[in-house]
Coordinates of all heavy atoms in Angstrom, one line a residue:
E1 N 23.9 3.1 10.4 CA 23.0 2.0 10.5 C 21.5 2.5 10.3 O 20.8 1.8 9.7 CB 23.2 1.3 11.8 CG 22.4 0.0 11.8 CD 22.7 -0.8 13.1 OE1 23.9 -1.1 13.3 OE2 21.7 -1.1 13.7
I2 N 21.2 3.6 11.0 CA 19.8 4.1 10.9 C 19.5 4.5 9.5 O 18.4 4.3 9.0 CB 19.6 5.2 11.9 CG1 18.1 5.6 12.0 CG2 20.4 6.5 11.6 CD1 17.3 4.5 12.7
N3 N 20.5 5.1 8.7 CA 20.2 5.5 7.4 C 20.0 4.3 6.5 O 19.2 4.4 5.5 CB 21.4 6.3 6.8 CG 21.4 7.7 7.4 OD1 20.3 8.2 7.8 ND2 22.6 8.3 7.5
E4 N 20.6 3.2 6.8 CA 20.3 1.9 6.0 C 18.9 1.5 6.2 O 18.3 1.0 5.3 CB 21.3 0.8 6.4 CG 22.7 1.1 5.9 CD 23.7 0.0 6.4 OE1 23.3 -1.1 6.7 OE2 24.9 0.3 6.5
L5 N 18.4 1.5 7.5 CA 17.1 1.1 7.7 C 16.1 2.1 7.1 O 15.1 1.6 6.5 CB 16.8 1.2 9.3 CG 17.2 -0.1 10.0 CD1 16.9 0.2 11.5 CD2 16.3 -1.3 9.6
I6 N 16.3 3.4 7.1 CA 15.5 4.3 6.4 C 15.4 4.0 4.9 O 14.3 4.0 4.4 CB 15.9 5.8 6.7 CG1 15.7 6.1 8.2 CG2 15.2 6.8 5.8 CD1 16.4 7.4 8.6
D7 N 16.6 3.8 4.3 CA 16.6 3.5 2.9 C 15.9 2.2 2.6 O 15.2 2.1 1.5 CB 18.0 3.4 2.4 CG 18.7 4.8 2.4 OD1 18.1 5.8 2.5 OD2 20.0 4.8 2.3
Y8 N 16.0 1.2 3.4 CA 15.3 -0.1 3.2 C 13.8 0.1 3.2 O 13.2 -0.4 2.3 CB 15.7 -1.0 4.4 CG 15.1 -2.4 4.3 CD1 15.8 -3.4 3.6 CD2 14.0 -2.7 5.0 CE1 15.2 -4.7 3.5 CE2 13.4 -4.0 4.9 CZ 14.1 -5.0 4.2 OH 13.5 -6.2 4.1
Y9 N 13.3 0.8 4.2 CA 11.8 1.0 4.2 C 11.3 1.9 3.1 O 10.2 1.7 2.6 CB 11.4 1.4 5.6 CG 11.5 0.3 6.6 CD1 12.4 0.4 7.7 CD2 10.9 -1.0 6.4 CE1 12.5 -0.6 8.6 CE2 11.1 -2.0 7.3 CZ 11.9 -1.9 8.4 OH 12.1 -2.9 9.2
L10 N 12.1 2.9 2.8 CA 11.7 3.8 1.7 C 11.7 3.1 0.3 O 10.8 3.3 -0.5 CB 12.6 5.0 1.6 CG 12.3 6.1 2.7 CD1 13.3 7.2 2.6 CD2 10.9 6.6 2.8
E11 N 12.6 2.1 0.2 CA 12.6 1.3 -1.1 C 11.3 0.4 -1.1 O 10.7 0.2 -2.1 CB 13.8 0.5 -1.2 CG 13.9 -0.4 -2.4 CD 13.9 0.4 -3.7 OE1 14.3 1.5 -3.8 OE2 13.4 -0.2 -4.7
N12 N 11.0 -0.1 0.1 CA 9.7 -0.9 0.2 C 8.5 0.0 -0.2 O 7.6 -0.5 -0.9 CB 9.5 -1.4 1.6 CG 10.3 -2.7 1.9 OD1 11.0 -3.2 1.1 ND2 10.3 -3.1 3.2
A13 N 8.5 1.2 0.3 CA 7.4 2.1 0.0 C 7.4 2.4 -1.5 O 6.3 2.5 -2.1 CB 7.6 3.4 0.8
K14 N 8.5 2.6 -2.1 CA 8.6 2.8 -3.6 C 8.0 1.6 -4.3 O 7.2 1.8 -5.3 CB 10.0 3.1 -4.0 CG 10.1 3.4 -5.5 CD 11.5 3.6 -5.9 CE 11.7 4.0 -7.4 NZ 10.7 3.5 -8.3
M15 N 8.3 0.4 -3.9 CA 7.7 -0.7 -4.6 C 6.2 -0.8 -4.4 O 5.5 -1.1 -5.4 CB 8.4 -2.0 -4.0 CG 9.8 -2.2 -4.5 SD 10.4 -3.9 -4.0 CE 10.8 -3.6 -2.3
L16 N 5.7 -0.5 -3.3 CA 4.3 -0.5 -3.0 C 3.6 0.6 -3.9 O 2.6 0.4 -4.6 CB 3.9 -0.2 -1.6 CG 4.3 -1.4 -0.6 CD1 4.2 -0.9 0.8 CD2 3.3 -2.6 -0.9
K17 N 4.2 1.8 -3.9 CA 3.7 2.9 -4.7 C 3.7 2.6 -6.2 O 2.6 2.8 -6.8 CB 4.5 4.2 -4.4 CG 4.0 5.4 -5.1 CD 4.8 6.6 -4.7 CE 4.3 7.9 -5.4 NZ 5.0 9.1 -5.0
D18 N 4.8 2.1 -6.7 CA 4.8 1.7 -8.1 C 3.8 0.6 -8.4 O 3.2 0.7 -9.5 CB 6.2 1.2 -8.4 CG 7.3 2.3 -8.4 OD1 7.0 3.5 -8.3 OD2 8.5 1.9 -8.4
A19 N 3.6 -0.3 -7.6 CA 2.7 -1.4 -7.9 C 1.2 -0.8 -7.9 O 0.5 -1.2 -8.8 CB 2.7 -2.5 -6.8
M20 N 0.9 0.0 -7.0 CA -0.5 0.6 -7.0 C -0.7 1.5 -8.2 O -1.8 1.5 -8.8 CB -0.7 1.3 -5.7 CG -0.6 0.4 -4.4 SD -1.6 -1.2 -4.5 CE -3.2 -0.6 -4.5
E21 N 0.3 2.2 -8.6 CA 0.2 3.1 -9.8 C 0.1 2.2 -11.0 O -0.7 2.5 -11.9 CB 1.4 4.0 -9.9 CG 1.3 5.1 -8.9 CD 2.5 6.1 -8.9 OE1 3.6 5.6 -9.3 OE2 2.4 7.2 -8.4
E22 N 0.8 1.1 -11.1 CA 0.7 0.2 -12.2 C -0.7 -0.4 -12.3 O -1.2 -0.6 -13.4 CB 1.7 -0.9 -12.0 CG 1.8 -1.8 -13.2 CD 2.9 -2.9 -13.1 OE1 4.0 -2.6 -12.5 OE2 2.7 -4.0 -13.5
I23 N -1.3 -0.6 -11.2 CA -2.7 -1.2 -11.2 C -3.7 -0.1 -11.7 O -4.7 -0.4 -12.3 CB -3.1 -1.6 -9.8 CG1 -2.3 -2.9 -9.4 CG2 -4.6 -2.0 -9.7 CD1 -2.3 -3.3 -8.0
G24 N -3.3 1.2 -11.5 CA -4.2 2.3 -12.0 C -4.7 3.2 -10.9 O -5.5 4.1 -11.2
F25 N -4.2 3.1 -9.7 CA -4.6 3.9 -8.6 C -3.8 5.2 -8.6 O -2.6 5.2 -8.9 CB -4.4 3.2 -7.2 CG -5.4 2.1 -7.0 CD1 -5.0 0.8 -7.1 CD2 -6.7 2.4 -6.6 CE1 -5.8 -0.2 -6.9 CE2 -7.6 1.3 -6.4 CZ -7.2 0.0 -6.5
K26 N -4.4 6.3 -8.1 CA -3.6 7.5 -7.8 C -3.1 7.3 -6.4 O -3.8 6.9 -5.5 CB -4.5 8.7 -7.8 CG -3.8 10.0 -7.7 CD -4.7 11.2 -8.0 CE -3.8 12.5 -7.9 NZ -4.7 13.7 -8.2
V27 N -1.8 7.6 -6.2 CA -1.1 7.3 -4.9 C -0.4 8.5 -4.4 O 0.2 9.3 -5.2 CB 0.0 6.2 -5.2 CG1 0.7 5.8 -3.9 CG2 -0.7 5.0 -5.8
F28 N -0.4 8.7 -3.1 CA 0.3 9.8 -2.4 C 1.2 9.2 -1.3 O 1.0 8.1 -0.8 CB -0.8 10.7 -1.7 CG -1.8 11.3 -2.6 CD1 -3.0 10.6 -2.9 CD2 -1.5 12.4 -3.3 CE1 -3.9 11.1 -3.8 CE2 -2.4 13.0 -4.2 CZ -3.6 12.3 -4.4
G29 N 2.3 9.9 -1.1 CA 3.2 9.5 0.0 C 4.2 8.5 -0.6 O 4.3 8.2 -1.8
G30 N 4.9 7.9 0.4 CA 5.9 6.8 0.0 C 7.2 7.4 -0.4 O 8.2 6.6 -0.6
D31 N 7.4 8.7 -0.6 CA 8.6 9.2 -1.1 C 9.6 9.6 0.1 O 10.8 9.3 0.1 CB 8.4 10.5 -1.9 CG 7.6 10.2 -3.2 OD1 7.9 9.1 -3.8 OD2 6.7 11.0 -3.5
N32 N 9.0 10.1 1.1 CA 9.7 10.6 2.3 C 9.2 9.9 3.6 O 9.6 10.4 4.7 CB 9.7 12.1 2.4 CG 10.4 12.7 1.2 OD1 11.5 12.4 0.9 ND2 9.7 13.6 0.6
A33 N 8.3 9.0 3.5 CA 7.8 8.3 4.6 C 7.4 6.9 4.2 O 7.2 6.6 3.0 CB 6.5 9.1 5.1
P34 N 7.4 6.0 5.2 CA 7.1 4.6 4.8 C 5.7 4.2 4.7 O 5.3 3.1 4.8 CB 7.8 3.8 6.0 CG 7.6 4.8 7.2 CD 7.8 6.2 6.6
Y35 N 4.8 5.2 4.4 CA 3.4 4.9 4.2 C 3.0 5.4 2.9 O 3.4 6.5 2.4 CB 2.6 5.6 5.3 CG 2.9 5.2 6.7 CD1 3.6 6.0 7.6 CD2 2.5 3.9 7.1 CE1 4.0 5.5 8.8 CE2 2.8 3.5 8.4 CZ 3.6 4.3 9.2 OH 3.9 3.8 10.5
V36 N 2.1 4.6 2.2 CA 1.6 5.0 0.9 C 0.1 5.1 1.1 O -0.6 4.2 1.6 CB 1.9 3.9 -0.1 CG1 1.3 4.1 -1.4 CG2 3.5 3.7 -0.2
F37 N -0.5 6.2 0.6 CA -1.9 6.4 0.6 C -2.5 6.2 -0.8 O -2.0 6.9 -1.7 CB -2.3 7.8 1.2 CG -1.9 7.9 2.6 CD1 -0.7 8.3 3.1 CD2 -2.9 7.6 3.6 CE1 -0.3 8.4 4.4 CE2 -2.6 7.7 5.0 CZ -1.3 8.1 5.4
V38 N -3.4 5.3 -0.9 CA -4.0 5.0 -2.2 C -5.4 5.6 -2.3 O -6.3 5.3 -1.5 CB -4.1 3.4 -2.4 CG1 -4.7 3.1 -3.7 CG2 -2.7 2.8 -2.2
Q39 N -5.6 6.4 -3.3 CA -6.9 7.0 -3.5 C -7.8 6.0 -4.2 O -7.4 5.4 -5.3 CB -6.8 8.3 -4.3 CG -8.1 9.0 -4.5 CD -7.9 10.4 -5.2 OE1 -7.0 10.6 -5.9 NE2 -8.9 11.3 -4.9
L40 N -9.0 5.8 -3.7 CA -9.9 4.8 -4.3 C -10.8 5.4 -5.3 O -11.0 6.6 -5.3 CB -10.7 4.2 -3.1 CG -9.9 3.6 -2.0 CD1 -10.8 3.0 -0.9 CD2 -8.9 2.5 -2.5
P41 N -11.4 4.6 -6.2 CA -12.3 5.1 -7.2 C -13.5 5.7 -6.5 O -13.9 5.3 -5.4 CB -12.8 3.8 -7.9 CG -11.7 2.8 -7.7 CD -11.1 3.1 -6.3
E42 N -14.1 6.7 -7.1 CA -15.3 7.4 -6.6 C -16.4 6.4 -6.2 O -16.7 5.5 -6.9 CB -15.8 8.4 -7.6 CG -16.9 9.3 -7.1 CD -16.4 10.3 -6.2 OE1 -15.3 10.8 -6.3 OE2 -17.2 10.7 -5.3
G43 N -16.9 6.5 -5.0 CA -17.9 5.7 -4.5 C -17.5 4.4 -3.8 O -18.3 3.6 -3.3
K44 N -16.2 4.1 -3.8 CA -15.7 2.8 -3.2 C -15.2 3.2 -1.8 O -14.4 4.0 -1.6 CB -14.5 2.3 -4.1 CG -14.0 1.0 -3.6 CD -14.9 -0.1 -4.1 CE -14.2 -1.4 -4.4 NZ -15.1 -2.4 -4.9
S45 N -15.8 2.5 -0.8 CA -15.4 2.8 0.5 C -14.1 2.1 0.9 O -13.7 1.1 0.2 CB -16.5 2.3 1.5 OG -16.4 0.9 1.8
S46 N -13.4 2.6 1.8 CA -12.1 2.0 2.2 C -12.3 0.6 2.8 O -11.5 -0.2 2.6 CB -11.4 3.0 3.2 OG -12.1 3.2 4.4
W47 N -13.4 0.4 3.5 CA -13.7 -0.9 4.0 C -14.0 -1.9 2.9 O -13.6 -3.1 3.0 CB -14.8 -0.9 5.1 CG -14.2 -0.4 6.4 CD1 -14.4 0.8 7.0 CD2 -13.4 -1.2 7.3 NE1 -13.8 0.8 8.2 CE2 -13.1 -0.4 8.4 CE3 -12.9 -2.5 7.3 CZ2 -12.4 -0.8 9.5 CZ3 -12.1 -2.9 8.4 CH2 -11.9 -2.0 9.5
D48 N -14.7 -1.5 1.9 CA -15.0 -2.4 0.8 C -13.7 -2.7 0.0 O -13.5 -3.9 -0.4 CB -16.0 -1.7 -0.2 CG -17.4 -1.6 0.3 OD1 -17.7 -2.3 1.3 OD2 -18.2 -0.9 -0.2
M49 N -12.8 -1.8 -0.2 CA -11.6 -2.0 -0.9 C -10.7 -2.9 0.0 O -10.0 -3.8 -0.6 CB -10.9 -0.8 -1.3 CG -9.7 -1.0 -2.2 SD -10.0 -1.9 -3.7 CE -10.6 -0.6 -4.8
F50 N -10.7 -2.6 1.2 CA -9.9 -3.5 2.2 C -10.3 -4.9 2.0 O -9.5 -5.8 1.9 CB -10.1 -3.0 3.6 CG -9.7 -4.0 4.7 CD1 -8.4 -4.1 5.1 CD2 -10.7 -4.9 5.2 CE1 -8.1 -5.0 6.1 CE2 -10.3 -5.8 6.2 CZ -9.0 -5.9 6.6
S51 N -11.7 -5.2 2.0 CA -12.2 -6.5 1.9 C -11.9 -7.1 0.5 O -11.5 -8.3 0.4 CB -13.7 -6.5 2.1 OG -14.0 -6.2 3.4
E52 N -12.0 -6.3 -0.5 CA -11.7 -6.8 -1.9 C -10.2 -7.3 -2.0 O -10.0 -8.3 -2.6 CB -12.0 -5.8 -2.9 CG -11.9 -6.2 -4.3 CD -12.3 -5.2 -5.3 OE1 -13.1 -4.2 -5.0 OE2 -11.9 -5.3 -6.5
M53 N -9.3 -6.5 -1.5 CA -7.9 -6.8 -1.6 C -7.6 -8.0 -0.8 O -6.8 -8.9 -1.1 CB -7.0 -5.6 -1.3 CG -7.0 -4.5 -2.3 SD -5.9 -3.2 -2.0 CE -6.0 -2.3 -3.5
L54 N -8.2 -8.1 0.4 CA -8.0 -9.3 1.3 C -8.5 -10.5 0.6 O -7.8 -11.6 0.6 CB -8.6 -9.0 2.6 CG -8.4 -10.1 3.7 CD1 -6.9 -10.3 4.0 CD2 -9.2 -9.8 4.9
D55 N -9.7 -10.5 0.0 CA -10.3 -11.6 -0.6 C -9.6 -12.0 -1.9 O -9.3 -13.2 -2.1 CB -11.8 -11.3 -1.0 CG -12.7 -11.3 0.3 OD1 -12.3 -11.7 1.3 OD2 -13.8 -10.7 0.1
K56 N -9.3 -11.1 -2.7 CA -8.7 -11.4 -4.0 C -7.2 -11.6 -4.0 O -6.7 -12.5 -4.7 CB -9.0 -10.3 -5.0 CG -10.4 -10.2 -5.5 CD -10.5 -9.1 -6.5 CE -12.0 -9.0 -7.0 NZ -12.1 -7.9 -8.0
A57 N -6.4 -10.9 -3.1 CA -5.0 -11.0 -3.2 C -4.4 -11.5 -1.9 O -3.2 -11.7 -1.8 CB -4.4 -9.6 -3.5
Q58 N -5.2 -11.6 -0.8 CA -4.7 -12.0 0.5 C -3.7 -11.1 1.0 O -2.7 -11.4 1.6 CB -4.2 -13.5 0.5 CG -5.3 -14.5 0.3 CD -5.7 -14.7 -1.1 OE1 -4.9 -14.8 -2.0 NE2 -7.0 -14.6 -1.4
V59 N -3.9 -9.8 0.8 CA -3.0 -8.7 1.3 C -3.9 -7.8 2.2 O -5.0 -7.4 1.9 CB -2.5 -7.9 0.1 CG1 -1.7 -6.7 0.6 CG2 -1.6 -8.7 -0.8
V60 N -3.3 -7.6 3.4 CA -3.9 -6.7 4.4 C -3.5 -5.3 4.1 O -2.3 -5.0 4.0 CB -3.6 -7.2 5.8 CG1 -4.2 -6.2 6.8 CG2 -4.1 -8.6 6.0
T61 N -4.5 -4.4 4.1 CA -4.3 -3.0 4.0 C -4.9 -2.3 5.2 O -5.5 -3.0 6.0 CB -4.9 -2.4 2.6 OG1 -6.3 -2.7 2.6 CG2 -4.2 -3.0 1.4
I62 N -4.9 -1.0 5.2 CA -5.5 -0.3 6.4 C -6.5 0.7 5.8 O -6.2 1.6 5.0 CB -4.4 0.5 7.1 CG1 -3.3 -0.4 7.6 CG2 -5.0 1.3 8.3 CD1 -1.9 0.2 7.8
P63 N -7.8 0.5 6.1 CA -8.9 1.3 5.6 C -8.7 2.8 6.1 O -8.4 3.0 7.3 CB -10.1 0.7 6.2 CG -9.8 -0.7 6.5 CD -8.3 -0.7 6.9
G64 N -8.8 3.7 5.2 CA -8.6 5.1 5.5 C -9.7 5.6 6.5 O -9.4 6.6 7.2
A65 N -10.8 5.0 6.6 CA -11.9 5.4 7.5 C -11.4 5.4 8.9 O -11.9 6.1 9.8 CB -13.1 4.5 7.3
G66 N -10.4 4.5 9.2 CA -9.9 4.5 10.6 C -9.1 5.7 11.0 O -8.8 5.9 12.2
F67 N -8.8 6.6 10.0 CA -8.1 7.8 10.3 C -9.1 9.0 10.4 O -8.6 10.2 10.4 CB -7.0 8.1 9.3 CG -6.0 7.0 9.3 CD1 -6.1 6.0 8.3 CD2 -5.0 7.0 10.2 CE1 -5.1 4.9 8.3 CE2 -4.0 6.0 10.2 CZ -4.1 5.0 9.3
G68 N -10.3 8.8 10.4 CA -11.3 9.8 10.5 C -12.0 10.1 9.2 O -11.7 9.5 8.2
P69 N -13.0 11.0 9.1 CA -13.7 11.3 7.9 C -12.9 11.6 6.7 O -13.2 11.3 5.6 CB -14.6 12.5 8.3 CG -14.7 12.5 9.8 CD -13.4 11.9 10.3
G70 N -11.7 12.3 6.9 CA -10.9 12.7 5.8 C -10.1 11.5 5.2 O -9.6 11.6 4.1
G71 N -10.1 10.4 5.9 CA -9.4 9.2 5.4 C -10.2 8.3 4.6 O -9.7 7.5 3.9
E72 N -11.6 8.5 4.6 CA -12.4 7.7 3.8 C -12.1 8.0 2.3 O -11.8 9.1 1.9 CB -13.9 8.0 4.1 CG -14.9 7.1 3.3 CD -14.6 5.6 3.5 OE1 -14.8 5.1 4.6 OE2 -14.1 5.0 2.5
G73 N -12.2 6.9 1.5 CA -11.8 7.0 0.1 C -10.4 6.7 -0.1 O -9.9 6.8 -1.3
Y74 N -9.6 6.3 0.9 CA -8.2 6.0 0.8 C -7.9 4.7 1.5 O -8.6 4.3 2.5 CB -7.3 7.1 1.4 CG -7.4 8.4 0.6 CD1 -8.4 9.3 0.9 CD2 -6.5 8.7 -0.4 CE1 -8.5 10.5 0.2 CE2 -6.6 9.9 -1.1 CZ -7.6 10.8 -0.8 OH -7.7 12.0 -1.4
L75 N -6.8 4.0 1.1 CA -6.2 3.0 1.9 C -4.8 3.4 2.3 O -4.2 4.2 1.5 CB -6.1 1.7 1.1 CG -7.3 0.9 0.7 CD1 -6.9 -0.3 -0.2 CD2 -8.1 0.4 1.9
R76 N -4.3 2.9 3.4 CA -2.9 3.2 3.7 C -2.2 1.8 3.7 O -2.7 0.8 4.2 CB -2.8 3.7 5.1 CG -1.4 4.1 5.5 CD -1.3 4.8 6.8 NE -1.0 3.8 7.8 CZ -0.6 4.1 9.0 NH1 -0.3 5.3 9.4 NH2 -0.4 3.1 9.9
L77 N -1.0 1.9 3.0 CA -0.2 0.7 3.0 C 1.1 1.0 3.8 O 1.6 2.2 3.7 CB 0.2 0.4 1.5 CG -0.9 0.2 0.5 CD1 -0.4 -0.1 -0.9 CD2 -1.9 -0.9 1.0
S78 N 1.6 0.1 4.5 CA 2.8 0.3 5.3 C 3.9 -0.4 4.7 O 3.8 -1.6 4.3 CB 2.5 -0.2 6.8 OG 3.7 -0.1 7.5
A79 N 5.1 0.2 4.7 CA 6.3 -0.4 4.1 C 7.1 -1.1 5.2 O 8.2 -1.6 4.9 CB 7.1 0.7 3.5
F80 N 6.6 -1.1 6.4 CA 7.3 -1.8 7.5 C 7.1 -3.3 7.5 O 6.3 -3.8 8.2 CB 6.9 -1.2 8.9 CG 7.4 0.2 9.1 CD1 6.5 1.2 9.3 CD2 8.8 0.4 9.2 CE1 7.0 2.5 9.5 CE2 9.2 1.7 9.5 CZ 8.3 2.8 9.6
A81 N 7.8 -3.9 6.6 CA 7.7 -5.4 6.4 C 9.0 -5.8 5.7 O 9.8 -5.1 5.1 CB 6.5 -5.7 5.5
P82 N 9.3 -7.1 5.9 CA 10.5 -7.7 5.2 C 10.3 -7.5 3.7 O 9.2 -7.6 3.1 CB 10.5 -9.2 5.6 CG 9.7 -9.2 6.8 CD 8.6 -8.2 6.7
R83 N 11.4 -7.3 3.0 CA 11.4 -7.1 1.5 C 10.7 -8.2 0.8 O 9.9 -7.9 -0.1 CB 12.9 -6.9 1.1 CG 13.1 -6.7 -0.4 CD 12.6 -5.4 -1.0 NE 12.9 -4.3 -0.1 CZ 14.1 -3.6 -0.1 NH1 15.1 -3.9 -0.9 NH2 14.2 -2.5 0.7
D84 N 10.9 -9.4 1.1 CA 10.3 -10.5 0.4 C 8.8 -10.5 0.5 O 8.0 -10.8 -0.4 CB 10.9 -11.9 0.7 CG 10.7 -12.2 2.2 OD1 10.6 -11.3 3.1 OD2 10.8 -13.4 2.5
S85 N 8.3 -10.0 1.7 CA 6.8 -9.9 1.9 C 6.3 -8.8 1.1 O 5.2 -8.9 0.5 CB 6.5 -9.6 3.4 OG 6.9 -10.7 4.2
V86 N 7.0 -7.7 0.9 CA 6.6 -6.5 0.1 C 6.5 -6.9 -1.4 O 5.5 -6.7 -2.1 CB 7.4 -5.3 0.3 CG1 7.1 -4.2 -0.7 CG2 7.3 -4.8 1.8
I87 N 7.5 -7.6 -1.8 CA 7.6 -8.1 -3.2 C 6.4 -9.0 -3.5 O 5.7 -8.9 -4.5 CB 8.9 -8.8 -3.5 CG1 10.0 -7.8 -3.5 CG2 8.9 -9.5 -4.9 CD1 11.4 -8.4 -3.5
E88 N 6.1 -10.0 -2.6 CA 5.0 -10.9 -2.7 C 3.7 -10.1 -2.7 O 2.8 -10.4 -3.6 CB 5.0 -12.0 -1.7 CG 3.9 -13.0 -1.9 CD 4.0 -14.2 -0.9 OE1 5.1 -14.3 -0.2 OE2 3.0 -14.9 -0.8
A89 N 3.5 -9.2 -1.8 CA 2.3 -8.4 -1.8 C 2.0 -7.7 -3.1 O 0.9 -7.7 -3.6 CB 2.3 -7.5 -0.6
C90 N 3.1 -7.0 -3.6 CA 3.0 -6.3 -4.9 C 2.6 -7.2 -6.0 O 1.7 -6.9 -6.8 CB 4.3 -5.6 -5.2 SG 4.7 -4.2 -4.1
D91 N 3.2 -8.4 -6.1 CA 2.9 -9.4 -7.1 C 1.5 -9.8 -7.0 O 0.7 -9.9 -8.0 CB 3.8 -10.6 -7.0 CG 5.3 -10.3 -7.5 OD1 5.5 -9.2 -8.1 OD2 6.2 -11.1 -7.1
R92 N 1.0 -10.1 -5.8 CA -0.4 -10.6 -5.6 C -1.4 -9.5 -6.0 O -2.4 -9.8 -6.6 CB -0.6 -10.9 -4.1 CG 0.0 -12.2 -3.7 CD -0.3 -12.5 -2.3 NE 0.4 -13.6 -1.7 CZ 0.1 -14.1 -0.5 NH1 -0.8 -13.5 0.3 NH2 0.8 -15.1 -0.1
L93 N -1.1 -8.3 -5.6 CA -2.0 -7.2 -5.9 C -2.1 -7.0 -7.4 O -3.2 -6.8 -8.0 CB -1.6 -5.9 -5.2 CG -1.8 -5.9 -3.7 CD1 -1.1 -4.8 -3.0 CD2 -3.3 -5.8 -3.4
K94 N -0.9 -7.0 -8.1 CA -0.9 -6.7 -9.5 C -1.7 -7.8 -10.3 O -2.3 -7.6 -11.2 CB 0.5 -6.6 -10.0 CG 1.2 -5.3 -9.6 CD 2.5 -5.0 -10.3 CE 3.6 -5.8 -9.7 NZ 4.9 -5.4 -10.2
K95 N -1.6 -9.1 -9.8 CA -2.3 -10.2 -10.5 C -3.8 -10.1 -10.2 O -4.6 -10.4 -11.1 CB -1.7 -11.5 -10.0 CG -0.3 -11.8 -10.5 CD 0.2 -13.1 -10.0 CE 1.7 -13.3 -10.4 NZ 2.3 -14.4 -9.7
A96 N -4.1 -9.8 -8.9 CA -5.5 -9.9 -8.5 C -6.4 -8.6 -8.8 O -7.6 -8.8 -9.1 CB -5.6 -10.2 -7.0
M97 N -5.7 -7.5 -8.9 CA -6.5 -6.2 -8.9 C -6.5 -5.6 -10.3 O -7.2 -4.5 -10.5 CB -6.0 -5.3 -7.9 CG -6.0 -5.8 -6.5 SD -7.6 -6.4 -5.9 CE -8.6 -4.8 -5.9
V98 N -5.8 -6.1 -11.3 CA -5.8 -5.5 -12.6 C -7.1 -5.8 -13.4 O -7.6 -6.8 -13.3 CB -4.5 -5.9 -13.4 CG1 -4.6 -5.3 -14.8 CG2 -3.3 -5.5 -12.7

């Protein structure tokens, strides 16, 4: 049963990773953990991108600045959500951020 849960959340992470790469972001993680780290364009703060994605796509992300100075310039996406919510978030991001 635990392996089914792990596979479920890793598939969510793969969907998030694929969506962000399709938009054009460089992405880390999501292969062996349920978190995806999105590298932001040079000069774009994690709080600015957080606000942009919230405003344009109504998707909540986690600003990397919250993880300390090394996290600035990244967003973290969590795969811990129902599958339909992940699919909807990916669709919204791809429509709003391209």
Side-chain angles (χ1 to χ4, degrees):
E1 187 175 308
I2 190 71
N3 287 332
E4 288 177 27
L5 275 176
I6 291 169
D7 291 344
Y8 181 87
Y9 290 120
L10 288 178
E11 181 62 29
N12 282 356
K14 181 181 181 337
M15 286 188 280
L16 290 167
K17 183 176 183 175
D18 290 348
M20 299 312 292
E21 288 176 337
E22 186 177 324
I23 293 167
F25 290 104
K26 187 170 184 179
V27 181
F28 302 91
D31 297 318
N32 298 307
Y35 299 105
V36 176
F37 291 88
V38 180
Q39 186 175 25
L40 304 178
E42 188 71 31
K44 187 76 149 185
S45 81
S46 59
W47 279 104
D48 287 344
M49 185 59 80
F50 163 85
S51 295
E52 185 176 340
M53 288 185 173
L54 184 60
D55 290 342
K56 289 183 176 179
Q58 292 76 51
V59 173
V60 175
T61 60
I62 305 158
F67 298 97
E72 184 52 71
Y74 294 86
L75 289 178
R76 185 175 90 163
L77 307 179
S78 173
F80 288 116
R83 177 69 41 84
D84 59 337
S85 295
V86 172
I87 291 169
E88 183 173 345
C90 291
D91 289 344
R92 287 183 185 185
L93 286 166
K94 287 190 280 187
K95 288 176 185 169
M97 302 305 295
V98 175

